[in-house]
């Protein structure tokens, strides 16, 4: 089942909230490589199918449908430069070899600037972030200098809508528990995330990488993060 939301260029969020025309690229999201990066990558946690589907359903319920290009995700890094791709992939391959799948659970919802987030408890993710940050610190964007594990449930809406959503999620959602099974690297493509490669924990050779828990069907796993691998 595809959870990809339809998009209309330049459309506005429900009830006249935050619009696409209002959005400009934040300089804090630009990698420090001294050059214009035509390709940027995102590194995210890879979770079991059931947990992913539960949180994605919550996001799909509350995120403005006309601008929702993604399913639920926890991103470690959001603007990794394409010029450093070989270095990035080598570091990821080394890190995942030293980890086994670990638990993830959702916590309390909270207000964001234009929406609602959901706290995430997955302690080893913080360690993974700091290990990789130590190797990539020279080119990371300002945004990628810190990490707070969370799901974005709603974004780009008026404060009154976010307040209402916050109350609904607190009352109705409860908690979702699951397992983090590895890391996934995505190419950013005009708002969509195109899967570049998946790195399951505990594997040393790329050709052996088959997720220990998650099904290999990318459409089931990341239905709207880009079902097919990028050709780049």
């Amino acid at each position: 089942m595809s959870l990809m939301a339809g998009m209309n260029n330049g459309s506005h969020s429900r009830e006249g909230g935050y619009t696409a025309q209002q959005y400009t690229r934040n300089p804090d999201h630009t990698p420090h490589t001294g050059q214009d990066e035509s390709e940027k990558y995102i590194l995210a946690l890879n979770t079991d199918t059931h947990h992913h589907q539960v949180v994605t359903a919550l996001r799909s319920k509350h995120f403005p449908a006309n601008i929702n290009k993604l399913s639920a995700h926890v991103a470690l890094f959001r603007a990794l430069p394409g010029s450093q791709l070989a270095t990035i992939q080598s570091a990821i391959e080394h890190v995942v070899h030293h980890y086994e799948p670990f638990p993830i659970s959702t916590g309390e919802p909270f207000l964001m600037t234009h929406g609602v987030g959901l706290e995430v408890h997955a302690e080893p993710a913080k360690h993974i972030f700091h290990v990789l940050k130590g190797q990539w610190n020279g080119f990371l964007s300002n945004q990628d200098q810190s990490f707070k594990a969370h799901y974005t449930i709603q974004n780009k809406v008026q404060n009154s809508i976010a307040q209402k959503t916050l109350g609904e999620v607190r009352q109705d959602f409860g908690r979702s528990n699951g397992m983090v099974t590895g890391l996934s690297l995505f190419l950013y493509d005009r708002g969509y995330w195109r899967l570049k490669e998946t790195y399951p924990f505990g594997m040393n050779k790329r050709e052996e990488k088959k997720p220990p828990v998650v099904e290999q069907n990318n459409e089931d796993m990341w239905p709207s993060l880009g079902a097919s691998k990028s050709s780049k």
Side-chain angles (χ1 to χ4, degrees):
M1 177 181 66
S2 175
L3 296 178
M4 182 177 290
M7 286 296 300
N8 296 313
N9 292 334
S11 58
H12 62 275
S13 62
R14 56 186 174 182
E15 297 188 24
Y18 189 98
T19 66
Q21 289 91 337
Q22 291 173 310
Y23 180 78
T24 57
R25 176 61 61 185
N26 191 322
D28 285 341
H29 302 170
T30 301
H32 295 295
T33 58
Q35 65 186 67
D36 183 29
E37 296 289 341
S38 60
E39 293 186 348
K40 296 176 185 176
Y41 292 85
I42 305 101
L43 185 64
L45 300 182
N46 201 1
T47 70
D48 68 88
T49 302
H50 177 71
H51 173 76
H52 177 72
Q53 290 177 342
V54 168
V55 186
T56 292
L58 182 67
R59 176 184 167 103
S60 298
K61 178 180 179 180
H62 294 290
F63 207 101
N66 58 339
I67 57 172
N68 188 15
K69 295 184 177 183
L70 305 175
S71 56
H73 57 271
V74 178
L76 293 169
F77 299 93
R78 294 179 174 272
L80 297 173
S83 64
Q84 300 295 320
L85 183 58
T87 297
I88 290 165
Q89 290 183 299
S90 177
I92 297 170
E93 289 173 354
H94 179 76
V95 164
V96 297
H97 178 57
H98 297 282
Y99 284 84
E100 295 296 328
F102 55 82
I104 184 172
S105 63
T106 59
E108 290 295 315
F110 61 93
L111 283 176
M112 302 175 64
T113 304
H114 296 287
V116 175
L118 192 62
E119 291 179 351
V120 168
H121 304 298
E123 288 302 312
K126 297 178 182 178
H127 184 259
I128 293 172
F129 169 79
H130 286 293
V131 169
L132 293 174
K133 177 187 174 184
Q135 300 181 55
W136 301 340
N137 202 45
F139 56 73
L140 291 178
S141 68
N142 293 344
Q143 180 191 38
D144 281 343
Q145 294 291 332
S146 62
F147 168 66
K148 177 183 178 181
H150 71 281
Y151 286 110
T152 299
I153 300 304
Q154 186 180 67
N155 204 2
K156 300 178 176 64
V157 299
Q158 294 175 337
N159 183 257
S160 60
I161 298 174
Q163 290 281 0
K164 180 180 178 182
T165 299
L166 180 67
E168 291 179 0
V169 175
R170 280 177 173 166
Q171 179 176 338
D172 300 334
F173 181 65
R175 175 171 294 189
S176 175
N177 301 313
M179 296 294 291
V180 179
T181 60
L183 305 177
S184 288
L185 186 67
F186 298 90
L187 173 66
Y188 180 84
D189 180 14
R190 296 168 293 178
Y192 295 99
W193 293 7
R194 309 300 183 188
L195 182 61
K196 176 70 175 178
E197 189 157 358
T198 298
Y199 303 84
F201 292 138
M203 295 294 182
N204 193 27
K205 296 180 180 179
R206 181 178 300 185
E207 59 269 24
E208 293 176 353
K209 289 183 177 178
K210 294 182 180 178
V213 177
V214 178
E215 297 175 4
Q216 277 296 94
N217 187 331
N218 289 331
E219 292 185 356
D220 290 340
M221 160 83 178
W222 294 99
S224 60
L225 297 190
S228 60
K229 279 193 176 185
S230 166
S231 59
K232 299 183 180 180

